[in-house]
Amino acid sequence: LKTNDPPPAPAAVVRRAIWLAISMGGPTKDVLKLPFNRCCADCGAHGPRWASVNLGIFICEMCSGIHRKMGSHISQVRSVTLDDWKPEWVRMMSLVGNERAKAFYEHAGPHAARLPC
């Protein structure tokens, strides 16, 4: 981009992130750098390096263990850096992310129980 060019539309950014992630075999750093993906969707720990690919959330190592114990029929956990990613997982992570998932799952819960991150 040139300095005079307008910023890309959000849809274009998401499409580029998905394309880059598919070509690299995992979620791009762009998706992880989004403010709401910088901390664990469950406990709020900073720097999550695991993901529940069917729920579309990024989680920390401790919460990934909890998700694995729930069973793969509930949460399918993959490493952001160690596992090879299928294109549909990349798309799910790019389209859902922690912010949308938390809004969906916490919409009916008590406000005090919600994490700040």
Side-chain angles (χ1 to χ4, degrees):
L1 289 175
K2 297 177 183 175
T3 55
N4 296 339
D5 290 343
V13 172
V14 170
R15 280 194 304 274
R16 177 154 171 74
I18 292 170
W19 179 84
L20 286 170
I22 291 169
S23 67
M24 295 170 54
T28 64
K29 292 181 182 177
D30 293 340
V31 176
L32 280 169
K33 285 182 181 178
L34 294 172
F36 42 85
N37 290 338
R38 290 183 190 162
C39 42
C40 176
D42 287 351
C43 73
H46 290 283
R49 292 292 172 240
W50 293 85
S52 175
V53 294
N54 63 317
L55 299 177
I57 59 173
F58 291 99
I59 52 179
C60 68
E61 186 175 4
M62 184 180 297
C63 291
S64 73
I66 295 168
H67 277 253
R68 284 187 188 275
K69 287 179 185 177
M70 287 191 279
S72 60
H73 63 290
I74 296 174
S75 184
Q76 298 172 4
V77 179
R78 300 292 184 269
S79 169
V80 169
T81 55
L82 301 175
D83 291 322
D84 290 329
W85 281 55
K86 294 180 182 180
E88 59 265 25
W89 298 344
V90 175
R91 181 169 167 72
M92 175 66 89
M93 300 306 295
S94 299
L95 295 177
V96 178
N98 290 358
E99 183 177 50
R100 284 190 180 146
K102 287 175 68 168
F104 177 79
Y105 289 110
E106 294 179 351
H107 79 279
H111 185 70
R114 297 179 184 166
L115 295 172
C117 183

